[in-house]
Amino acid sequence: MNNVPKLKIGLLMDSFDVPYWIYKVIEKIQDSTHSQISLIIMNQTEITKNNPILKVKNNRDYFLYKIYTRLENKTYHPDIDGFQIKNTAELLENIEKISVMPKLTKYSDWINDDDVNTIRKYDLDVIIRLGFRILKGGILNSAKCGVWSFHHADNNVNRGGPAGFWEVFQQEPTTGSILQILNEDLDGGQIIAKSYSTTDSTFVKRNQNNYYMKSLSFLPRKLKELHEVGKDEFLKRVQAENNDLIFYDRPLYGKPKNGQFLKLGLINFRKLVNRKIRNWFYFDQWFLLFDIKDGISKSLWRYKKILPPKDRFWADPHVIARDDKYFIFIEEYIYKKGKGHIALIEMDKQGNYQYKGKILEKSYHLSYPFVFEFNKNFYMIPESSSNKKIEIFKCIEFPNKWELHGNLMSDIDAVDSTILFHNNKWWLFTGIKENDGASNSDELFLFYSQDPTSDQWIPHPQNPIISDVRRARPAGKIFSYQNKLYRPSQNGSYHYGYGININQIKKITEFEYEEEVENEILPKWDEQITRIHTFTYVDGLSVMDGKIRRTKL
C-alpha cells in the first residue's frame, strides 16, 4: 500500500461556473486516493470581460464565425454536453482561495511576484490551469512539478485556436489533444499525455465534445502516476518523452476572419451537399472478403467477395478451423431492427460457403464475436458494450448453441475485446470509453489473468497502452508470423473503418507493453470498396470485412 501523502494541487480558475468537462476533472481529482485540491487561485480580471461595447469592437472581424458558433449551439444537442455550465462552488467550498489581478499584455497574463510568492508558500505539487490566458513569468515555476495545462489540439499541427475548429474546416483526419507542463514557449511545453481522435466531418462542437470528454482523464491518470513513482522519476520520464527535436512550421491559429470563414464554409458546404445527394441514390454496406492459400494471403486483389442481401450487413469475421471446415462467426446487422446479432457462415477448404443463419441474439446489440478454445471448450466474447459488460459465452453444442458463462467485467463501456495466450498468461485487449460523451475507438486497455473465463483480470500499469484513434481499437485475432506476434488494429482517422494497421508486438509483460506499426491495409485495390476494419487469419483462410457502396435501386 502506498503511504505517500496525497499530492497538493492548485487550480487556476476564472470562475466557479465552468464547462461540464472541467467539472468532471475537478470531481475526479477530489474523489481520488492520490491527490487533493489545496488552493484555488481566482482570476480577478474576469469581471471586466463582459463589456458589451468591447465585445462588438473585438468581434467585428469575426462575426460570421460567431454566427456559425451560435447556430451550432442551437442545433447540436448531445446526450452528454461537455460544455454545459456547472457550478463548482459546492464542490470546492472547503478549499482555501486567493484572488489575483494579473498584468495583461496583448495575449498573456503575468501574475505579480507578491502573488507568486504567496502561492509558493502553499508548497503545491502541481498547479492546473483551468482558466486565465497564456501564462508568463514566475507562476510557471511556483509548484514542484510546474503548471499543467490542456491544449486541445496536436501541438505539432495546430497551435492557437479555436479548439477543434480548424481540424473540421481544413478536413484534418484526426484532432489531437495534449496535457503539458507549461513553459514560456506557447503550446510548446513538455508533453505529459497525448492522444488523437477522429475529426468530425461536419460539426465543430461535436468534434470538440468527443475529444474534450476523453482528454479529461489525462489529469487523474498522470497525477496518479506522479504519486506512485515520485517527482524525480516522473520528471525523468517526461524528459525522456520530450527529447525529439520538433519544429512547428504552421501559423499561430486564431479565430477565422470573415473572409477566411466564408471561403472555408463554402468548400465544406459543397462537400456536405455532395454527400447528401450521393446518399439519396446509394447506401454503404459491410461485407466479407476471403482468400485460401498456404499462409497469409497478402495480395488483396485476390480476395473474393461475399455480399449479404441488401437488408443487412455482415462484419467482424472470426474463424474457427475444425473438421476440415472453416466456421466464420460474424456480426449480422438487420437495418430495420437497428441491432446486431451473431450469425454463422460455414466454408470448406475450396472456398464453397453456406450461410447458416443466426446463432446468438440478445435484446441488446452484439458484434465482434471473438471465439477461442480453453480447456477443450469453445468460448465467445461478443462485443456487448450497449449492455455495459464484457460477457463470455460457452459453446454447448458446436457451432450453434451458446449460453452465457459470466461477465469478464461489468459496468464498463468496452468494445472489440480480443484474447491472447502468451508467456503462460491470458491477455485481454479491449477498447474502453472511460467518460460518457467520448468515443470508444480512441483508447486501448490491457489486462491479464490466469483464467480467461473468470472475472479476475489485473489492469496493466501502462493503461491505456494506446491513446490514438489511428491504431488503438482491435481489428481481429492476434496472430504469429515468422516468429513475430502481430496485433491487427483499426485506423479510425478520417472516419470509422478507414483501414487496418498490422502492429508488431515488441514487448508484453506485466509491467511493459510496446508495439510498432509494421504495415497498413487501405482499401485501394478496388474502387468500390471504401472501408475495411477487421482481419483474421486461421489455418490457410484469410478473411476481412469491407464496406462497399451499393445502389438503392
Side-chain angles (χ1 to χ4, degrees):
M1 184 175 181
N2 192 339
N3 293 317
V4 178
K6 285 187 176 184
L7 299 173
K8 297 169 69 175
I9 309 300
L11 302 182
L12 287 156
M13 301 179 68
D14 291 332
S15 169
F16 289 116
D17 292 325
V18 300
Y20 177 70
W21 74 270
I22 290 181
Y23 184 92
K24 294 299 291 184
V25 169
I26 295 171
E27 187 179 59
K28 283 177 177 286
I29 295 172
Q30 290 287 68
D31 292 343
S32 74
T33 59
H34 49 73
S35 303
Q36 64 183 22
I37 299 172
S38 301
L39 179 65
I40 309 297
I41 306 160
M42 194 62 72
N43 186 356
Q44 280 292 90
T45 59
E46 178 66 14
I47 59 175
T48 68
K49 294 179 181 179
N50 294 319
N51 186 316
I53 297 175
L54 282 176
K55 275 191 173 183
V56 172
K57 182 180 178 181
N58 292 336
N59 290 316
R60 63 190 175 190
D61 293 333
Y62 312 102
F63 75 89
L64 288 179
Y65 166 72
K66 290 291 184 180
I67 291 171
Y68 170 81
T69 301
R70 289 184 180 182
L71 286 173
E72 268 208 7
N73 288 334
K74 287 182 178 296
T75 56
Y76 174 61
H77 302 288
D79 293 336
I80 303 295
D81 186 348
F83 302 96
Q84 180 182 359
I85 299 301
K86 289 204 68 173
N87 187 270
T88 59
E90 185 176 346
L91 198 60
L92 301 171
E93 64 179 345
N94 296 319
I95 297 168
E96 193 160 349
K97 303 166 182 68
I98 62 172
S99 297
V100 299
M101 181 72 76
K103 176 186 175 184
L104 307 182
T105 62
K106 186 174 182 179
Y107 298 111
S108 305
D109 290 347
W110 294 74
I111 297 176
N112 67 59
D113 291 343
D114 288 342
D115 287 331
V116 169
N117 289 332
T118 299
I119 292 167
R120 285 195 176 118
K121 292 177 182 177
Y122 287 86
D123 195 32
L124 300 173
D125 293 287
V126 174
I127 294 175
I128 299 167
R129 187 182 77 90
L130 299 175
F132 291 73
R133 300 183 304 161
I134 299 166
L135 291 170
K136 298 287 187 178
I139 186 65
L140 298 177
N141 302 308
S142 59
K144 295 173 186 174
C145 293
V147 177
W148 295 9
S149 176
F150 288 98
H151 176 59
H152 288 100
D154 177 0
N155 66 334
N156 294 330
V157 174
N158 186 325
R159 297 188 184 182
F165 171 85
W166 292 100
E167 291 87 347
V168 173
F169 275 76
Q170 292 182 333
Q171 298 292 293
E172 295 282 354
T174 58
T175 299
S177 49
I178 65 172
L179 180 68
Q180 60 182 337
I181 302 176
L182 292 179
N183 59 26
E184 298 286 348
D185 184 9
L186 173 62
D187 293 328
Q190 289 187 302
I191 294 172
I192 310 172
K194 191 169 192 173
S195 184
Y196 295 90
S197 301
T198 304
T199 300
D200 188 88
S201 62
T202 309
F203 293 113
V204 173
K205 186 174 179 182
R206 188 162 61 195
N207 190 46
Q208 292 173 331
N209 204 65
N210 169 37
Y211 77 101
Y212 271 67
M213 291 305 296
K214 172 191 68 176
S215 60
L216 71 86
S217 289
F218 296 173
L219 259 171
R221 289 174 190 163
K222 288 301 175 178
L223 289 174
K224 180 183 178 184
E225 181 184 346
L226 172 59
H227 185 256
E228 289 177 347
V229 304
K231 171 191 170 185
D232 292 343
E233 175 61 23
F234 181 84
L235 294 179
K236 180 181 176 183
R237 292 179 182 183
V238 171
Q239 184 62 47
E241 293 293 323
N242 285 269
N243 279 335
D244 293 338
L245 180 62
I246 297 174
F247 291 90
Y248 180 70
D249 58 2
R250 300 199 181 194
L252 179 62
Y253 287 96
K255 288 182 293 187
K257 292 189 175 181
N258 296 327
Q260 286 178 298
F261 184 86
L262 187 61
K263 181 180 178 180
L264 291 167
L266 288 173
I267 292 171
N268 283 279
F269 180 73
R270 186 174 70 240
K271 290 179 180 178
L272 179 62
V273 170
N274 289 340
R275 188 160 63 242
K276 292 289 186 183
I277 293 173
R278 184 194 68 205
N279 291 341
W280 287 342
F281 300 101
Y282 298 93
F283 75 102
D284 293 323
Q285 181 186 45
W286 289 101
F287 71 104
L288 306 180
L289 304 102
F290 76 96
D291 192 33
I292 300 174
K293 59 173 291 185
D294 184 16
I296 296 172
S297 183
K298 292 173 280 188
S299 296
L300 301 181
W301 56 267
R302 297 181 184 275
Y303 282 60
K304 304 170 187 65
K305 297 184 178 80
I306 303 178
L307 290 176
K310 287 189 175 182
D311 67 337
R312 67 195 65 195
F313 71 65
W314 292 341
D316 296 343
H318 288 76
V319 180
I320 292 292
R322 186 183 183 190
D323 301 330
D324 217 30
K325 290 182 181 179
Y326 299 115
F327 298 87
I328 307 172
F329 299 88
I330 60 171
E331 172 197 354
E332 181 172 59
Y333 186 97
I334 310 297
Y335 295 124
K336 284 186 177 180
K337 286 187 175 181
K339 179 176 69 70
H341 56 254
I342 307 305
L344 177 68
I345 293 174
E346 287 188 18
M347 181 180 290
D348 64 24
K349 292 298 179 81
Q350 288 71 49
N352 303 304
Y353 61 87
Q354 286 185 314
Y355 167 70
K356 293 295 186 177
K358 183 189 335 179
I359 63 166
L360 181 62
E361 184 174 28
K362 292 291 179 182
S363 60
Y364 43 88
H365 176 78
L366 296 178
S367 61
Y368 198 85
F370 186 87
V371 183
F372 68 102
E373 188 173 3
F374 175 66
N375 286 346
K376 298 183 180 179
N377 290 301
F378 286 104
Y379 293 88
M380 180 192 297
I381 306 174
E383 179 195 309
S384 53
S385 62
S386 60
N387 198 36
K388 299 296 183 183
K389 293 179 175 69
I390 302 179
E391 297 175 332
I392 184 167
F393 292 81
K394 185 177 182 179
C395 188
I396 304 306
E397 184 180 320
F398 191 86
N400 296 308
K401 291 187 178 180
W402 301 79
E403 70 175 17
L404 183 64
H405 178 75
N407 299 320
L408 302 187
M409 298 182 192
S410 300
D411 191 26
I412 190 170
D413 192 332
V415 295
D416 299 350
S417 297
T418 301
I419 292 280
L420 168 69
F421 184 70
H422 180 71
N423 287 344
N424 295 315
K425 279 187 176 61
W426 290 90
W427 304 87
L428 171 64
F429 297 76
T430 189
I432 294 177
K433 177 173 71 174
E434 281 197 326
N435 305 308
D436 290 337
S439 168
N440 51 22
S441 295
D442 289 6
E443 297 193 318
L444 180 67
F445 288 71
L446 180 60
F447 304 83
Y448 58 92
S449 177
Q450 295 298 328
D451 182 353
T453 67
S454 77
D455 60 0
Q456 301 300 306
W457 290 90
I458 301 170
H460 197 277
Q462 286 182 215
N463 278 337
I465 56 172
I466 296 171
S467 185
D468 187 340
V469 74
R470 298 172 298 183
R471 62 187 187 94
R473 186 166 176 165
K477 181 181 179 180
I478 296 170
F479 61 92
S480 179
Y481 178 71
Q482 294 186 347
N483 297 318
K484 297 178 182 177
L485 206 55
Y486 290 96
R487 186 186 74 88
S489 70
Q490 295 186 36
N491 180 348
S493 60
Y494 293 101
H495 47 66
Y496 174 73
Y498 173 65
I500 296 172
N501 293 310
I502 305 298
N503 309 282
Q504 184 186 345
I505 296 177
K506 297 280 194 174
K507 187 180 295 184
I508 179 169
T509 72
E510 297 97 319
F511 308 103
E512 295 180 279
Y513 181 82
E514 182 183 340
E515 71 175 33
E516 182 178 283
V517 178
E518 188 163 299
N519 194 226
E520 66 176 358
I521 306 171
L522 299 176
K524 295 181 177 180
W525 71 94
D526 186 328
E527 63 181 11
Q528 290 182 306
I529 300 174
T530 60
R531 307 184 187 194
I532 51 173
H533 87 330
T534 308
F535 172 81
T536 298
Y537 170 74
V538 175
D539 193 26
L541 173 64
S542 300
V543 60
M544 63 175 61
D545 58 5
K547 184 175 269 193
I548 195 168
R549 187 165 297 137
R550 299 182 71 179
T551 176
K552 291 181 178 179
L553 301 178

